[in-house]
Amino acid sequence: MQIISNLVYWGGCSATAKSRYDNVDILKGVAILLVIWSHTDNYSTELWSNGTFGNITFFFLSGFFFKVNAPFKEFCEKRLWRLLMPFLMFYLLSIPFRYVIDVWDSHSFSNFEWNRIWEIFRIEARGDYLSLNAPLWFLLTIFWIHLFGFFVMRLPKWCVLLVGCCCLLFKGVSSMWATPVMINQACYWFGYFAIGYVVGRPLLGMLLRRDWRWIILAISGLIVGLLWNFSQFYVEGKYFGIYAAMYYLWLDVALLALSSFVWVGQMSGWLRFWGVSSLFVLGAHFFVLVPFERLAFKLARVHDPYIGLICAGVTAIVLVPLIIVARRYCPLLIGEWKPRRK
């Protein structure tokens, strides 16, 4: 474990050389680990779903540092290399991987559905049609969200906040739209992104002051506690989505405030490392997690959330050297490669 800790330290140095907010990276690390766990055969109620919390957290935090400070062509080019090229590379790598897994599961070479390769272009009213590597939906969605933001974020912030709230309120409508390449999903998740854009930087500024940290932690903790206690009245029905959004957003604020007190030691260093590397973890964890899960089920013959937690932990550790290698030799996979300008 000490060897892995040293790898995390040295591998994370280059990624954190520029100024970053440690509490944001720590929360990203927590969220990406929960996302890995949510892709195992664990069970949870709808409200406390790990995947839902991780998704909301990432879209919310992604809005914090969003800027429209470049012409449209340059803006799109940057997102092309940062989001679409990693998506394409992971998607292509997923084809032979999924083929091998299908052969493993069915013991046959004839069960692989080759039309799945083109599934992202199907015009369907479904939120997740990336069966080759389902987590990659996030990269396509955040790409479209950035394009929306290029135009929407030119409005006054109160208008941006209003647009974001409308996106959350009309989730049922947007999810029924039949669109390819996750455009319908982007219409909903833009709501969390817009809220993060409006409140993110002021919130981080206040958390730099110790007295404000305590105040924000106390207020957000109280609200989270109240929402938790009254959750039994809202876990079903048409208002569930809004209730869950409020709970998770306030939970994110509470965790940001709490992590602002964290001494940057070994554990928080691990979380920061995974947080900084969350794009690679998102795209690559299926390649490691799925084989571990298959082996775990062969041994235990049962699907259990704690076995899933162990598989998720082992997956996260195995990804550490892979992240370091990718950062050094293939930065395109982690969204850090930029074309040289003449």
Side-chain angles (χ1 to χ4, degrees), residues 35-46:
V35 167
I36 296 175
W37 189 21
S38 73
H39 290 149
T40 64
D41 295 310
N42 69 306
Y43 65 87
S44 58
T45 63
E46 185 180 6

Side-chain angles (χ1 to χ4, degrees), residues 68-120:
V68 182
N69 56 358
F72 185 68
K73 181 180 178 181
E74 183 180 340
F75 180 90
C76 292
E77 182 182 352
K78 184 180 294 184
R79 271 67 188 176
L80 170 69
W81 295 110
R82 185 186 298 174
L83 296 171
L84 289 190
M85 289 307 295
F87 166 82
L88 179 62
M89 292 188 70
F90 280 122
Y91 197 76
L92 292 176
L93 288 172
S94 301
I95 296 172
F97 171 78
R98 183 57 67 179
Y99 184 79
V100 170
I101 292 299
D102 280 5
V103 171
W104 182 350
D105 289 342
S106 63
H107 305 289
S108 171
F109 290 94
S110 60
N111 288 343
F112 184 80
E113 299 176 17
W114 287 102
N115 61 349
R116 295 159 75 184
I117 297 172
W118 315 109
E119 62 191 352
I120 59 172

Side-chain angles (χ1 to χ4, degrees), residues 122-129 174-180 184-185:
R122 295 175 186 167
I123 301 178
E124 300 175 342
R126 288 199 294 137
D128 184 359
Y129 36 93
S174 61
S175 63
M176 293 177 64
W177 293 339
T179 66
N184 54 353
Q185 286 292 292

Side-chain angles (χ1 to χ4, degrees), residues 51-302:
T52 301
F53 171 72
N55 294 338
I56 290 176
T57 299
F58 275 113
F59 285 113
F60 177 58
L61 295 179
S62 296
F64 279 27
F65 307 107
F66 182 80
K67 292 181 180 179
V68 182
N69 56 358
F72 185 68
K73 181 180 178 181
E74 183 180 340
F75 180 90
C76 292
E77 182 182 352
K78 184 180 294 184
R79 271 67 188 176
L80 170 69
W81 295 110
R82 185 186 298 174
L83 296 171
L84 289 190
M85 289 307 295
F87 166 82
L88 179 62
M89 292 188 70
F90 280 122
Y91 197 76
L92 292 176
L93 288 172
S94 301
I95 296 172
F97 171 78
R98 183 57 67 179
Y99 184 79
V100 170
I101 292 299
D102 280 5
V103 171
W104 182 350
D105 289 342
S106 63
H107 305 289
S108 171
F109 290 94
S110 60
N111 288 343
F112 184 80
E113 299 176 17
W114 287 102
N115 61 349
R116 295 159 75 184
I117 297 172
W118 315 109
E119 62 191 352
I120 59 172
F121 301 109
R122 295 175 186 167
I123 301 178
E124 300 175 342
R126 288 199 294 137
D128 184 359
Y129 36 93
L130 288 169
S131 61
L132 287 172
N133 191 341
L136 295 180
W137 73 272
F138 178 88
L139 295 179
L140 278 179
T141 301
I142 198 68
F143 172 78
W144 289 110
I145 285 175
H146 278 213
L147 288 189
F148 298 165
F150 182 86
F151 301 101
V152 176
M153 273 41 168
R154 298 175 183 274
L155 300 172
K157 287 196 172 182
W158 68 267
C159 289
V160 175
L161 186 61
L162 181 62
V163 171
C165 292
C166 289
C167 289
L168 298 181
L169 285 171
F170 295 102
K171 176 187 178 182
V173 177
S174 61
S175 63
M176 293 177 64
W177 293 339
T179 66
V181 292
M182 303 295 160
I183 296 176
N184 54 353
Q185 286 292 292
C187 291
Y188 166 63
W189 291 105
F190 182 81
Y192 297 103
F193 185 85
I195 294 172
Y197 173 79
V198 173
V199 307
R201 285 189 175 273
L203 175 62
L204 293 177
M206 289 188 289
L207 289 176
L208 291 175
R209 297 176 52 184
R210 181 171 290 272
D211 52 347
W212 274 105
R213 291 179 194 173
W214 286 110
I215 294 172
I216 293 172
L217 180 60
I219 294 174
S220 58
L222 177 62
I223 294 175
V224 168
L226 291 173
L227 291 173
W228 174 283
N229 287 329
F230 287 100
S231 63
Q232 62 269 26
F233 300 109
Y234 296 92
V235 293
E236 295 180 356
K238 62 180 181 180
Y239 298 110
F240 167 77
I242 299 301
Y243 173 81
M246 291 173 55
Y247 176 82
Y248 282 128
L249 287 173
W250 278 108
L251 181 59
D252 281 331
V253 173
L255 291 175
L256 279 173
L258 182 62
S259 60
S260 298
F261 292 98
V262 174
W263 176 71
V264 184
Q266 189 176 74
M267 187 59 209
S268 62
W270 279 63
L271 293 174
R272 287 172 58 244
F273 177 82
W274 282 312
V276 172
S277 312
S278 55
L279 187 151
F280 182 87
V281 175
L282 182 80
H285 74 269
F286 252 37
F287 302 138
V288 180
L289 178 64
V290 172
F292 273 125
E293 271 210 297
R294 295 296 197 278
L295 291 173
F297 182 74
K298 275 186 172 293
L299 294 173
R301 292 296 177 181
V302 64

